[in-house]
Structure formats: C-alpha cells, structure tokens
Amino acid sequence: MGIDIGSTTSKCVLLKNGKEIVGSALVQAGVGTDGPDEACRILLEKSDISEYQVDYRIATGYGRARWKKADEAISELSAHALGSYFLFPEARTVIDIGGQDAKVIALNEKGQLQNFVMNDKCAAGTGRFLDVMAGILKIQVSELENLAAQSLNPVSISNTCTVFAESEVISQLAAGSSVNDVVAGICVSVAGRVAALARRVGVKEQVCMSGGVAINGGVRKAMEQILGVKIFCSPFAQMTGALGAALYAYHKIKL
Ligand code: ADP
C-alpha cells in the first residue's frame, strides 16, 4: 500500500504483485487530520481486503513522517518518479503540481531521477493559487477547466504574488473582464510559472503531469502551449505519488 499525505488531500493506492492496481481512495483532508486513516479505511472497504492482508505500507507526501502506521516513508520526488514511470514508461520529464508546491523531475530511460527543481516557498504556481482564485470567484476548482475553455481573450495576470494577483483579479472583474477570461488568465499564470521551472531542468519528451492540478485541463493546455510539447496525463494523475509509494512497498517486500 502507498499513501500520499498531502497538504490538502490524502491519497491511498493498493497494489497486487507490483502490477495490478487493486483499488484507490482519495479524501479531501491532508496532513494533521484523520484523512490518511480515512483514506485507508475507505480503500480497504472498497477492495474488500482486511488491514492484515496488506504486506507493507509506504507513506509519502508532506505529512509522511507523522503517519505512524507506515512501515517506511519515501520522498515525494521518489514517489512521483516511480508512479510516473509506471503510468508512462517513456516519460523523461514529470511536472507535478500539488496543493502546496510544484516540482519538475527529469528521469532517465530506466525511470531513475536525474535532476529536479522545486517551488515550495511561494503559493504562485501551485494548487493553492488556483484554490484562492476560485474562492474569490465563488467557483469550484473543478469548474476552472470548462470556464477557461470558453475564454476568447484571456486576461494577463502580471503579478506572481498570490496576494497581489488576488487584487488584480478583482480589478479585472471590476473593469468588466468576463469570468471566463479571468479564469483563463489564472490558468496561464500557473502554467507560466511552472513552465519556467521546467525550463530550468530542461524539457525532454515525453512530458507527463502528476498531482491534483494535472486534472485541470486549463493549466495543462496552457503549459502545452507555453512549452510547445504534448503533455501526457492519466486520469490517475492525482494518485501518482501514492502509486509510486505502493510500487516502492512492493520492491521492499520482494527483496
Ligand atoms: P496535495 O498532495 O498537496 O494535497 P494534490 O496533488 O492532491 O495536493 O493537489 C491538490 C490541488 O489539486 C488543489 O489545490 C486543486 O487546485 C487541484 N484539484 C484538486 N481536485 C481538482 C479537480 N477536481 N479539478 C481541478 N483541480 C483540482
């Protein structure tokens, strides 16, 4: 079992024989909550498996050190590298945008981590930026993709600082910009910020995306345009870290 205890969500994946994903669960509560326990409970219940049948548990994510039920913990970088290689064996660049940080990881042809850059000092270029902006617009983050897709003239959000960008969004709305155009501008802002990180690592194809923000096609498409590459994304993108942790658990018990 792999569990990814993030800043906003807890994700859990159960793997059989290192190949078959038996089940997964996601709970909208992360580090410092009962989210991790709840995610495990739901996963085991859905999969009809008792906790005694789980051979090894690996935790990853921001809250990995605090979850006492884990046999071991691994870094998010290792977990996302392993999970991404499983989903996309041709991936050489992984762009992971979570609730609190963004990372770009370079992999070799064996899926081993070669290099990375990370932004964890600032909300800009993370899911937090999108969550704050969705809050101002009184919409759900799940609505951002559709609204951005309907934009005809995305506004430019020039401030990277979340607090200043918040005022900028309010000014744009006051000046008559449509919500669609503002949302598209917000997605471009996050994509631009993370694309700059990606360029520091060097963008090698295939490029794939992981983390919760990968679900947001508005950010994904903006990033494809900025970087000029196709970005592969699995419906399982938000579970990539938990999947990588489960793969690591399998390697440990196989030894
Ligand atoms: P963490 O591991 O830090 O909790 P995640 O990788 O789970 O972060 O990503 C959380 C982010 O994913 C949120 O901040 C949000 O912006 C984005 N997100 C989550 N669910 C959705 C969704 N249904 N549609 C669009 N974006 C989403």
Side-chain angles (χ1 to χ4, degrees), residues 45-63:
E45 200 176 289
K46 275 201 310 192
S47 316
D48 199 20
I49 281 179
S50 96
E51 63 177 301
Y52 304 106
Q53 289 174 276
V54 179
D55 291 317
Y56 213 66
R57 292 168 180 79
I58 296 286
T60 188
Y62 192 55

Side-chain angles (χ1 to χ4, degrees), residues 4-11 26 28 30 61-62 76 80 96-101 126-131 141-145 210-217 237-238:
D4 179 1
I5 306 168
S7 59
T8 62
T9 54
S10 300
K11 285 86 60 179
L26 182 150
Q28 298 285 356
Y62 192 55
E76 289 166 77
H80 279 268
D96 164 44
I97 316 181
Q100 192 165 268
D101 63 23
T126 71
R128 179 77 190 139
F129 184 89
L130 296 161
D131 300 347
V141 279
S142 55
E143 296 175 81
L144 295 173
E145 174 171 2
S210 63
V213 175
I215 303 168
N216 181 339
Q238 198 171 7

Side-chain angles (χ1 to χ4, degrees), residues 89-103:
E90 299 299 317
R92 298 292 172 271
T93 310
V94 180
I95 298 174
D96 164 44
I97 316 181
Q100 192 165 268
D101 63 23
K103 312 173 199 65

Side-chain angles (χ1 to χ4, degrees), residues 40 91 100-101 116 145 156 176 178-179 186 226 230 237:
C40 285
Q100 192 165 268
D101 63 23
F116 73 93
E145 174 171 2
S156 155
S178 74
V179 170
I186 289 165
I226 297 168
K230 178 173 170 50

Side-chain angles (χ1 to χ4, degrees), residues 52-133:
Y52 304 106
Q53 289 174 276
V54 179
D55 291 317
Y56 213 66
R57 292 168 180 79
I58 296 286
T60 188
Y62 192 55
R64 63 186 180 273
R66 290 188 56 182
W67 198 61
K68 301 284 178 271
K69 292 180 189 161
D71 293 298
E72 262 182 75
I74 60 169
S75 77
E76 289 166 77
L77 291 165
S78 304
H80 279 268
L82 283 166
S84 299
Y85 186 66
F86 181 90
L87 294 170
F88 299 106
E90 299 299 317
R92 298 292 172 271
T93 310
V94 180
I95 298 174
D96 164 44
I97 316 181
Q100 192 165 268
D101 63 23
K103 312 173 199 65
V104 182
I105 308 168
L107 300 179
N108 67 13
E109 63 285 351
K110 290 181 184 156
Q112 291 159 335
L113 190 147
Q114 295 292 285
N115 190 9
F116 73 93
V117 283
M118 188 164 174
N119 158 35
D120 61 352
K121 299 276 185 287
C122 171
T126 71
R128 179 77 190 139
F129 184 89
L130 296 161
D131 300 347
V132 168
M133 299 307 159

